[in-house]
Amino acid sequence: MHSSNTRLSYLFNSYYNKTATKQEIEELLQLLDITSDDELAAVIREAWDGLQIEESLFNSDKSLEILNRILPAGAAVNSLEEEAFVNNGMGWPSIFSRSLAAAILIFISVGTYFWLRPVPEPKAKIVSNVFHDAPPGGNRATLTLSNGRVIILDSAQNGIIVKMANFEVNKTKDGQLVYHVVESNTQKPGFNTLSTPRGGQYQVVLPDGSKVWLNAASSIKFPSVFKGKIREVELKGEAYFEVAKNAAMPFKVKSAHAQIEVLGTHFNVRAYDDEKAMKTTLVEGAVKITSGNLTNVLKPGDQAVLNGENGMKVINDVDADLETAWKDGLFQFKDASIEEIMRQAALWYNLNISFEGKIPERYFTGKISRNVKASEFLNMLNYTGVKFRIEGGNIIVMN
């Protein structure tokens, strides 16, 4: 290691172990001003293991100033309380950036914190307890044609994968199916089904141009060509729809317990068979949701919650981002319970969840990329004070 890095590591460890003198702290601050971002990041990575974090170090204008200098371009932070994560310049909120930011703040806060208040007694060390790991989900799905042919999209080559008399299907390199209709053919259309496993997702452009994002453990059944007076699809699980406008041919989404009718709109439907409630969240336009003799028309920002025990309830002014973040590659939570967080993790990482002892009463607010390993996801949740471990295909939550 470079000699200046060695000195910086020594000074940091001295501070962390509460053996640093006032002169060493001053030297530490001086080194921070002349150390390159890459060198500083290397030192912090090396020192990070086992680092104890004090929440009181997260409120400093000086911290923000230096942190914004260190982070990559485009990752400016205005409020550490409001931004739990920063952008890594690649379109994903970075889990490591959050940890790195915390470590940086330990460094840059010592100049004031060390003298202004007594050094607190050490808190319990954060322990990840992750012995195994699981990769994030990805673009995985199967396409079942009306003739029974099954195409595994994970391994299918890009380009035209289906060519029939009245339509063809193109697989793009970014995990998307695009249907093209041969208008001149009058053959009766068959039904296709796109299905994702746990740990999978996929996008499809339907024959009418409507776009559908399919979440993990979900399926959508649709005709190879829309004909007649209505466009109808069947959904299991969760999907986000951007429906192509066609006033002459309304679009309907059927689930096990309700149907949704639209003309042209953006909305999210969560209708897993093993969940108590079905949720329909409207982002743009208008939809009518019907279940038995219950009917409601939603406006943007409304969410219809359909529960077999309590009927249908419409909630106004919901945060649609919380319901649709998954399609943009994010976990996003607001005061979410550990149970809700673990349910989403189980679907995406294809893991089972179990609890040792009583379920912890912890709540989490923040954004985490879905493009990280299960261990990274769980390490971020350690900030809630809950411990986890992964054993085989299980996430075990420890109180």
Side-chain angles (χ1 to χ4, degrees):
M1 178 181 285
H2 192 279
S3 59
S4 63
N5 283 358
T6 302
R7 180 61 176 170
L8 188 57
S9 295
Y10 164 78
L11 291 172
F12 170 74
N13 287 318
S14 295
Y15 167 73
Y16 181 64
N17 294 319
K18 302 180 179 65
T19 61
T21 65
K22 182 175 179 179
Q23 290 73 24
E24 287 176 331
I25 292 174
E26 290 175 346
E27 182 182 357
L28 173 60
L29 295 176
Q30 290 172 358
L31 278 178
L32 288 174
D33 286 334
I34 64 174
T35 302
S36 71
D37 297 348
D38 290 341
E39 289 176 326
L40 178 57
V43 170
I44 293 173
R45 287 189 187 100
E46 180 179 333
W48 173 250
D49 186 31
L51 183 63
Q52 168 184 317
I53 301 174
E54 292 292 334
E55 293 180 0
S56 53
L57 297 178
F58 284 79
N59 302 294
S60 166
D61 291 338
K62 181 64 174 177
S63 298
L64 286 172
E65 175 186 342
I66 300 180
L67 180 58
N68 280 324
R69 174 176 65 84
I70 292 172
L71 294 175
V77 177
N78 296 317
S79 168
L80 291 171
E81 293 181 335
E82 294 176 0
E83 288 291 335
F85 304 91
V86 293
N87 194 284
N88 65 4
M90 298 174 62
W92 297 102
S94 172
I95 296 298
F96 178 72
S97 293
R98 177 62 176 84
S99 301
L100 179 58
I104 292 171
L105 291 178
I106 294 290
F107 276 95
I108 63 182
S109 299
V110 298
T112 56
Y113 182 76
F114 192 85
W115 293 304
L116 291 179
R117 50 183 304 180
V119 177
E121 290 298 318
K123 293 183 179 179
K125 183 187 293 185
I126 293 175
V127 181
S128 68
N129 286 310
V130 176
F131 302 122
H132 303 284
D133 213 340
N139 294 324
R140 304 184 184 105
T142 58
L143 177 65
T144 303
L145 303 178
S146 57
N147 60 9
R149 178 187 171 193
V150 177
I151 302 171
I152 301 174
L153 299 175
D154 316 20
S155 55
Q157 293 185 344
N158 297 331
I160 296 176
I161 59 173
V162 177
K163 193 166 186 177
M164 306 290 281
N166 59 343
F167 73 97
E168 62 182 31
V169 183
N170 183 68
K171 177 193 173 185
T172 68
K173 63 181 180 180
D174 56 351
Q176 183 175 226
L177 287 183
V178 181
Y179 273 70
H180 296 286
V181 176
V182 179
E183 297 292 350
S184 60
N185 193 281
T186 59
Q187 181 178 339
K188 184 179 179 180
F191 282 86
N192 296 179
T193 302
L194 179 66
S195 304
T196 57
R198 287 164 58 97
Q201 64 180 11
Y202 227 84
Q203 296 180 45
V204 58
V205 179
L206 298 177
D208 67 333
S210 296
K211 298 179 181 179
V212 181
W213 286 254
L214 202 62
N215 205 352
S218 302
S219 68
I220 183 170
K221 182 179 180 181
F222 54 92
S224 56
V225 178
F226 286 112
K227 291 186 176 182
K229 297 180 179 180
I230 193 169
R231 297 170 289 168
E232 186 172 277
V233 303
E234 296 180 18
L235 174 69
K236 293 181 179 180
E238 184 169 21
Y240 180 84
F241 292 83
E242 291 186 357
V243 177
K245 294 183 179 181
N246 184 347
M249 189 184 292
F251 190 99
K252 286 188 177 182
V253 180
K254 291 182 64 178
S255 72
H257 304 292
Q259 71 175 19
I260 302 162
E261 182 176 347
V262 305
L263 294 178
T265 191
H266 299 182
F267 60 100
N268 192 83
V269 180
R270 185 177 178 94
Y272 286 105
D273 290 339
D274 59 350
E275 292 188 354
K276 293 181 179 180
M278 169 185 169
K279 296 181 179 179
T280 302
T281 308
L282 184 62
V283 177
E284 178 184 306
V287 301
K288 181 173 70 173
I289 180 168
T290 302
S291 177
N293 59 356
L294 301 175
T295 298
N296 273 292
V297 176
L298 306 185
K299 63 180 185 299
D302 285 351
Q303 179 180 81
V305 180
L306 182 63
N307 186 302
E309 298 176 356
N310 303 316
M312 188 187 306
K313 179 181 179 181
V314 176
I315 304 172
N316 306 121
D317 299 322
V318 299
D319 185 349
D321 287 346
L322 293 175
E323 304 298 329
T324 63
W326 64 268
K327 83 174 184 65
D328 297 319
L330 295 173
F331 292 105
Q332 185 168 342
F333 307 111
K334 184 176 181 181
D335 297 326
S337 68
I338 292 297
E339 290 178 283
E340 170 59 22
I341 293 170
M342 288 299 98
R343 173 166 180 78
Q344 292 195 37
L347 283 175
W348 186 236
Y349 293 107
N350 190 20
L351 296 170
N352 297 315
I353 306 298
S354 62
F355 295 86
E356 285 189 352
K358 183 181 178 181
I359 297 175
E361 293 185 6
R362 299 287 192 278
Y363 298 88
F364 185 82
T365 296
K367 300 178 184 179
I368 306 176
S369 169
R370 292 193 354 151
N371 196 35
V372 299
K373 295 179 181 178
S375 60
E376 295 174 279
F377 176 85
L378 295 177
N379 278 336
M380 287 310 307
L381 296 180
N382 269 322
Y383 288 103
T384 67
V386 182
K387 297 178 182 179
F388 309 83
R389 70 176 185 269
I390 300 176
E391 292 182 354
N394 299 284
I395 297 177
I396 300 171
V397 184
M398 300 174 288
N399 198 344

